[in-house]
Amino acid sequence: MRLIRRAAWAAIAILGFLVVGTATGWLVTDGPLGTREDRLPAIGGPFSLTDHRGKPVTERDFLGKPTAVFFGFTSCPDVCPTTLARMGAHIDALGPQADRINWLLISVDHERDTPRSMAEYMTLFDPRIVGLSGTEHQVARAAESFQVQYRRVPLEGGGYTMDHSASVFLLDAEGRFAGTLDYEERQDVAEEKLKLLLARSPDSSKVRRGLF
Ligand code: NI
């Protein structure tokens, strides 16, 4: 009986480990392009938003290339601009290869972020980064697709800020979760992950030319 109880506790511990591990992404141990995506909770999925040029887009518009996507908002004081500046540094480091990745910011602040405010904000960063915004419902749906948590936090003296998760999600060319770039990640480690993502994604321009 005691053995059974011990086995039950061990099972619960392992389950907890798996839940926490998959939720935080560090169980994708075989590199950023873990092959276990079928067993992971789905990260990456349907969304319907508007890009900062005013064009309606869905997740299907970004298939065919791997994607690096970050959730944030234009009034963010530090995490978002830092992350977007780092994205710009990755783009510079990758050179022409950077064009083979979709670089996205999805706003979690539906009240303030419109295609117009996103367009203005995106001028501060690499022009290849595309800002997406949407209605309350569209933003909630997109965040749900990536299991992103965000929260409106009223500020003393008026106004509000948004709490939001700070990871950059990596998706392969078919839209499957392929890992994260974490906020504290070293630049060289992040760039290795991006290179690996590219190495495992066929070059779509070559696919079109029939080289694959
Ligand atoms: Ni932020």
Side-chain angles (χ1 to χ4, degrees), residues 70-83 105 108 121 161-166:
F70 174 68
F71 286 74
F73 66 112
T74 64
S75 323
C76 178
D78 46 31
V79 173
C80 296
T82 303
T83 301
L105 163 68
V108 293
Y121 188 62
T161 188
M162 302 294 296
D163 271 357
H164 63 93
S165 46

Coordinates of all heavy atoms in Angstrom, one line a residue, residues 70-83 105 108 121 161-166, ligand 1:
F70 N 6.6 38.4 -30.7 CA 6.7 38.9 -29.3 C 5.4 39.6 -29.0 O 4.8 40.3 -29.9 CB 7.9 39.9 -29.2 CG 8.0 40.6 -27.9 CD1 8.3 39.9 -26.8 CD2 7.8 42.0 -27.9 CE1 8.4 40.6 -25.6 CE2 7.9 42.7 -26.6 CZ 8.2 42.0 -25.5
F71 N 4.9 39.5 -27.8 CA 3.6 40.2 -27.4 C 4.0 41.3 -26.5 O 4.8 41.1 -25.5 CB 2.7 39.2 -26.6 CG 2.0 38.2 -27.5 CD1 2.7 37.2 -28.1 CD2 0.6 38.4 -27.8 CE1 2.0 36.3 -28.9 CE2 0.0 37.5 -28.7 CZ 0.7 36.4 -29.2
G72 N 3.5 42.5 -26.8 CA 3.9 43.7 -26.0 C 2.9 44.8 -26.3 O 1.8 44.6 -26.7
F73 N 3.4 46.0 -26.1 CA 2.5 47.2 -26.4 C 3.4 48.5 -26.5 O 4.5 48.5 -26.0 CB 1.4 47.4 -25.3 CG 1.9 47.7 -23.9 CD1 1.7 49.0 -23.4 CD2 2.7 46.8 -23.2 CE1 2.1 49.3 -22.1 CE2 3.1 47.1 -21.9 CZ 2.8 48.4 -21.3
T74 N 2.9 49.4 -27.2 CA 3.7 50.6 -27.6 C 4.0 51.5 -26.5 O 5.0 52.2 -26.5 CB 3.0 51.4 -28.8 OG1 1.8 52.0 -28.3 CG2 2.7 50.6 -30.0
S75 N 3.2 51.5 -25.4 CA 3.5 52.4 -24.3 C 4.4 51.7 -23.2 O 4.6 52.3 -22.2 CB 2.2 52.9 -23.6 OG 1.2 53.1 -24.5
C76 N 4.9 50.6 -23.5 CA 5.7 49.8 -22.6 C 7.0 50.6 -22.3 O 7.7 51.0 -23.2 CB 6.1 48.5 -23.2 SG 7.1 47.5 -22.1
P77 N 7.3 50.8 -21.0 CA 8.5 51.6 -20.7 C 9.9 51.0 -21.0 O 10.8 51.6 -21.4 CB 8.4 51.9 -19.2 CG 7.5 50.8 -18.7 CD 6.6 50.4 -19.8
D78 N 10.0 49.7 -20.8 CA 11.3 49.1 -21.0 C 11.4 47.7 -21.7 O 12.1 47.6 -22.6 CB 12.0 49.0 -19.7 CG 11.2 48.5 -18.6 OD1 10.3 47.6 -18.9 OD2 11.4 48.8 -17.4
V79 N 10.6 46.8 -21.3 CA 10.8 45.4 -21.8 C 10.5 45.3 -23.3 O 11.3 44.8 -24.0 CB 9.8 44.4 -21.1 CG1 9.9 43.0 -21.7 CG2 10.2 44.3 -19.6
C80 N 9.5 46.0 -23.7 CA 9.1 45.9 -25.2 C 10.2 46.6 -26.0 O 10.7 46.0 -27.0 CB 7.8 46.5 -25.5 SG 6.5 45.5 -24.7
P81 N 10.5 47.9 -25.7 CA 11.5 48.5 -26.6 C 12.9 47.8 -26.5 O 13.6 47.7 -27.6 CB 11.7 50.0 -26.0 CG 10.8 50.0 -24.8 CD 9.9 48.9 -24.8
T82 N 13.2 47.2 -25.4 CA 14.5 46.5 -25.3 C 14.4 45.2 -26.2 O 15.3 44.9 -26.9 CB 14.7 46.1 -23.8 OG1 14.8 47.2 -23.0 CG2 16.0 45.3 -23.7
T83 N 13.3 44.5 -26.1 CA 13.1 43.3 -26.9 C 13.2 43.6 -28.4 O 13.8 42.9 -29.2 CB 11.8 42.6 -26.5 OG1 11.9 42.3 -25.1 CG2 11.6 41.3 -27.3
L105 N 5.6 41.9 -33.8 CA 5.1 42.3 -32.5 C 3.6 42.3 -32.5 O 3.0 42.8 -33.4 CB 5.6 43.8 -32.2 CG 4.8 44.5 -31.1 CD1 5.2 43.9 -29.7 CD2 5.2 46.0 -31.1
V108 N -0.8 43.7 -27.0 CA -1.8 43.2 -26.1 C -2.7 44.4 -25.5 O -3.5 44.2 -24.7 CB -1.2 42.5 -24.9 CG1 -0.5 41.2 -25.3 CG2 -0.2 43.4 -24.1
Y121 N 5.1 53.7 -33.9 CA 6.0 53.0 -33.0 C 7.1 52.2 -33.8 O 8.3 52.2 -33.4 CB 5.2 52.1 -32.1 CG 6.0 51.5 -31.0 CD1 6.6 52.3 -30.0 CD2 6.1 50.1 -30.9 CE1 7.3 51.7 -28.9 CE2 6.8 49.5 -29.8 CZ 7.4 50.3 -28.9 OH 8.1 49.7 -27.8
T161 N -0.9 50.5 -17.2 CA 0.1 49.8 -18.0 C -0.3 48.3 -18.2 O -1.4 47.9 -17.7 CB 1.5 49.9 -17.2 OG1 2.5 49.3 -18.1 CG2 1.4 49.1 -15.9
M162 N 0.4 47.6 -19.0 CA 0.1 46.2 -19.2 C 1.2 45.3 -18.7 O 2.3 45.5 -19.0 CB -0.1 46.0 -20.7 CG -1.1 46.8 -21.5 SD -2.8 46.5 -21.0 CE -3.1 44.8 -21.5
D163 N 0.8 44.3 -17.9 CA 1.7 43.2 -17.6 C 1.6 42.2 -18.7 O 0.5 41.9 -19.2 CB 1.3 42.5 -16.3 CG 1.9 43.2 -15.1 OD1 2.6 44.1 -15.3 OD2 1.5 42.7 -14.0
H164 N 2.8 41.7 -19.2 CA 2.7 40.7 -20.2 C 3.9 39.8 -20.2 O 5.0 40.2 -19.7 CB 2.6 41.4 -21.6 CG 3.8 42.3 -22.0 ND1 4.8 41.8 -22.7 CD2 4.0 43.5 -21.7 CE1 5.7 42.8 -22.8 NE2 5.3 43.8 -22.2
S165 N 3.8 38.6 -20.8 CA 5.0 37.7 -20.8 C 6.0 38.3 -21.8 O 5.7 39.0 -22.7 CB 4.5 36.3 -21.2 OG 3.7 36.4 -22.3
A166 N 7.3 38.0 -21.5 CA 8.3 38.7 -22.2 C 9.1 37.8 -23.2 O 10.1 38.2 -23.7 CB 9.3 39.3 -21.2
Ligands
NI1 NI 6.4 45.5 -22.5

